[in-house]
Amino acid sequence: MRATRLISTGNVQTIDTDAPTRGDADIVVKVEAAGICGTDRHLYKGEFPSVANTILGHEFSGIVTDAGNSDLQIGTRVTCDPNTWCGACNQCRKGRVNLCVNNIATGIARDGGFAEYCAFPAHKAHVLPPDLNPLHGALCEPLACTLHGMDLGLPQAYERVIVIGGGVIGLLAVQLAKKAGAQVMLLTRSTAKQALGQSLGADRVAGSKDEALDQWPHGAELVVECAGVEATVSMSPSITHTGGRVVVLGVLPQGKQVAIEPFDLLFREIQMHYSFLNPFTHERAAQMIANASIEVAPLITRTISLEEVPAVIASDVPAGEVRAIAIP
Ligand code: NAP
């Protein structure tokens, strides 16, 4: 089969490879759609830990072709929760499964969804409806991660929320904050992404910190950082209302330092939270995508073939692009 492997940092290729071997606990799916995430670009650049020679792709869904020892039916559409916690380490035993020291992430530490077929643990499959647009299944994983961020930030009705970054995570955060009843501003530089954010419910848009503070001089009770760059993490407290909270979803390269003023955080008691992965949120995300309570179609900018995946991962996100989805 064809599959896209991260051979090593800076070297990603679509090549011929063996079809996956199913382990006892696994199922096999024929991949229908696999999204290219900011994290794939971080993996390519060596900015996020990975395992050499792994087939990338951790945002995907597909049709079960081998149900193994599970009670799933062949032909069922499922989304893969890529994070396979051990259930036995100290963090898992405390319920902090996203901090599992033995987590094996499909598409990062074991072969993933940029492939015609993928084997993954059966208990990590969440069922999707047969009549769902197959592309939409690829958005379950980013929604599950965004749900965890919003579970930490807990936007309330009538609060002000600033979402930084108009990528898929930011545009999902905008929708979740609106569902909570908050007033939402999307802070992102691209005017096309600002317009998309407004069409998805953002009440206001800004292209910079100054534009945000011109509209809300005291900032927002909740700031959700979804850009993953130094400047936006550093600016987050400065657009947060006194007594408010920041949730950082964005991934910065390992070792990167960011300027934060502890005095300001202390004196204004700003809570800084970091949101990692999707603990117990994947089923909720699958249900929300299944019942169309979150709009995902506008987040899909284009579809590409597996042959195009390496070039897309190796380049910056083109202007205006939210999500490119590979169809193997
Ligand atoms: P993305 O498509 O790269 O979106 C990030 C957006 O941030 C871009 O669209 C860009 O839009 C905006 N941006 C960049 N620099 C900016 C600046 N200086 N000011 C304002 N906006 C800026 O990425 P994504 O897929 O949505 O993911 C977002 C981040 O979350 C990434 O770092 C990703 O690795 C991370 N992530 C984290 C988790 C988790 O579990 N914590 C899960 C998934 C993804 P403009 O050009 O409009 O500014």
Side-chain angles (χ1 to χ4, degrees), residues 23-242:
D24 283 348
D26 291 346
I27 58 167
V28 179
V29 300
K30 178 160 180 34
V31 178
E32 289 188 298
I36 292 174
C37 168
T39 304
D40 293 313
R41 293 186 170 91
H42 291 306
L43 288 161
Y44 171 76
K45 293 178 190 161
E47 296 173 348
F48 195 96
S50 65
V51 174
N53 218 27
T54 302
I55 298 175
L56 296 180
H58 58 276
E59 299 180 354
F60 67 96
S61 57
I63 300 291
V64 176
T65 55
D66 181 346
N69 299 313
S70 76
D71 51 14
L72 286 162
Q73 299 295 310
I74 288 175
T76 304
R77 173 171 291 126
V78 294
T79 152
C80 170
D81 171 357
N83 295 302
T84 308
W85 341 106
C86 75
C89 70
N90 276 341
Q91 295 296 346
C92 281
R93 286 159 64 95
K94 286 189 287 191
R96 304 289 303 273
V97 293
N98 52 327
L99 307 181
C100 171
V101 292
N102 303 310
N103 180 25
I104 298 173
T106 302
I108 294 174
R110 63 176 279 167
D111 286 345
F114 293 145
E116 291 173 56
Y117 293 89
C118 178
F120 64 87
H123 73 286
K124 296 272 96 180
H126 297 260
V127 174
L128 291 171
D131 57 351
L132 186 77
N133 179 334
L135 297 180
H136 294 188
L139 276 303
C140 293
E141 196 273 348
L143 178 57
C145 292
T146 315
L147 279 166
H148 180 48
M150 302 313 267
D151 286 351
L152 292 173
L154 285 175
Q156 304 294 308
Y158 309 116
E159 279 193 328
R160 290 177 168 182
V161 175
I162 298 177
V163 174
I164 308 177
V168 83
I169 301 290
L171 292 166
L172 290 168
V174 164
Q175 294 187 62
L176 292 172
K178 281 306 292 179
K179 276 188 170 295
Q183 295 176 62
V184 182
M185 182 189 298
L186 174 64
L187 194 172
T188 198
R189 296 163 306 179
S190 140
T191 50
K193 287 179 186 173
Q194 291 175 8
L196 184 53
Q198 282 178 305
S199 75
L200 293 170
D203 303 286
R204 290 165 182 262
V205 291
S208 65
K209 169 182 161 179
D210 288 348
E211 282 181 31
L213 290 177
D214 280 349
Q215 299 177 68
W216 291 348
H218 301 292
E221 282 81 10
L222 173 64
V223 171
V224 188
E225 198 287 331
C226 309
V229 295
E230 191 180 339
T232 51
V233 174
S234 179
M235 97 169 49
S236 293
S238 67
I239 54 172
T240 303
H241 198 287
T242 297

